[in-house]
Amino acid sequence: MTKIFKLFSLFIGCFFIVNLHAQKIIKFPYVSYNSIPYCVVHNIEIDELFTKVSLYYRNPYSSTGWVNFSRTTTLKDLGCSKIYNIIYTEGVPLSPQKKNLKSGEGVYCSLFFPPIPNDSKYIEIYENVENGFHFVIQLKSDFKRYSSQYDVMNSYINKKLKEENQVEWNIKQKEIYDQNSVKHKPKKEKKRLVKDPDFKVD
């Protein structure tokens, strides 16, 4: 009976440790640096099988656009400088596939990496392509900081849309001006040849 109890206790202890590791979820993580203001990091889960980084991305342009993640994307544990390569994604595909988004449309998506140590404090996520995204994240919850990401995103998108609308308005005004200029352009009078009365041919 004692042996069975010990085995049962050991099983429960192992299950508790594994389950504890699997349940490490950082909601509203503290993002100290974000290179793309129209993307919000809202959740990080550290599992014995993977590290999951959940994002919300919104198309900031006035026209339909597309989004994907580079296969060169990496996660770096800043405590030990170990680098992990991306495994797969959800919501938004890895390149060369693309996801189309209408103007202002958003999408929830996730990046998956190999598991990082449970005691990691800071991570860096970097898309190793030109104009790729770059995040530096402290693995602690901060709802106030998290909320401010949405304020920054909405402010940026509103500004971007206003700028694009202004550019479109300027182009239309120039087209109207050019059309009116052509319409009201004075016609040149053709010069008429007048015969000189004193002109004689011998």
Side-chain angles (χ1 to χ4, degrees):
M1 186 70 179
T2 305
K3 188 176 181 180
I4 295 175
F5 179 76
K6 286 182 178 179
L7 288 174
F8 180 75
S9 299
L10 180 62
F11 172 78
I12 293 297
C14 292
F15 176 80
F16 177 76
I17 291 171
V18 171
N19 193 52
L20 181 65
H21 185 80
Q23 292 300 314
K24 182 166 183 182
I25 299 175
I26 301 97
K27 293 187 176 182
F28 321 126
Y30 187 97
V31 180
S32 57
Y33 178 76
N34 181 353
S35 66
I36 49 174
Y38 41 92
C39 186
V40 173
V41 182
H42 66 86
N43 196 64
I44 295 176
E45 180 180 346
I46 302 174
D47 190 275
E48 70 272 12
L49 299 177
F50 55 77
T51 301
K52 178 181 178 182
V53 180
S54 298
L55 313 170
Y56 175 74
Y57 176 92
R58 188 177 167 196
N59 178 15
Y61 306 107
S62 59
S63 59
T64 298
W66 58 265
V67 61
N68 64 17
F69 294 124
S70 170
R71 295 178 182 272
T72 64
T73 303
T74 57
L75 182 153
K76 183 178 182 180
D77 184 342
L78 296 179
C80 61
S81 297
K82 187 172 181 179
I83 296 176
Y84 304 84
N85 294 317
I86 194 167
I87 301 173
Y88 66 98
T89 64
E90 288 180 349
V92 169
L94 289 169
S95 61
Q97 285 75 32
K98 301 174 182 177
K99 181 176 180 61
N100 293 322
L101 295 174
K102 297 177 182 178
S103 174
E105 184 180 2
V107 58
Y108 286 97
C109 52
S110 298
L111 310 174
F112 290 81
F113 301 89
I116 62 175
N118 223 19
D119 59 351
S120 298
K121 303 297 183 185
Y122 292 88
I123 60 172
E124 178 183 48
I125 302 174
Y126 188 65
E127 190 177 27
N128 297 285
V129 293
E130 185 178 358
N131 299 321
F133 61 79
H134 181 199
F135 302 110
V136 178
I137 306 167
Q138 186 177 359
L139 300 181
K140 72 171 186 177
S141 296
D142 190 317
F143 184 76
K144 185 177 180 181
R145 181 81 172 188
Y146 166 78
S147 299
S148 69
Q149 291 184 82
Y150 280 97
D151 294 336
V152 171
M153 179 179 67
N154 292 329
S155 176
Y156 176 87
I157 290 177
N158 290 336
K159 181 182 177 183
K160 193 74 177 176
L161 292 176
K162 187 176 180 180
E163 290 174 352
E164 290 188 6
N165 289 336
Q166 183 65 47
V167 170
E168 291 179 2
W169 187 85
N170 290 341
I171 292 173
K172 289 180 180 179
Q173 291 301 309
K174 186 177 185 305
E175 290 175 350
I176 293 172
Y177 175 80
D178 292 342
Q179 290 174 0
N180 290 335
S181 296
V182 172
K183 188 182 297 184
H184 297 97
K185 190 175 182 180
K187 295 181 180 180
K188 291 184 178 180
E189 293 184 2
K190 292 183 179 180
K191 291 184 177 181
R192 299 168 60 186
L193 295 176
V194 180
K195 184 177 179 181
D196 185 351
D198 297 329
F199 178 77
K200 293 181 181 181
V201 179
D202 294 331

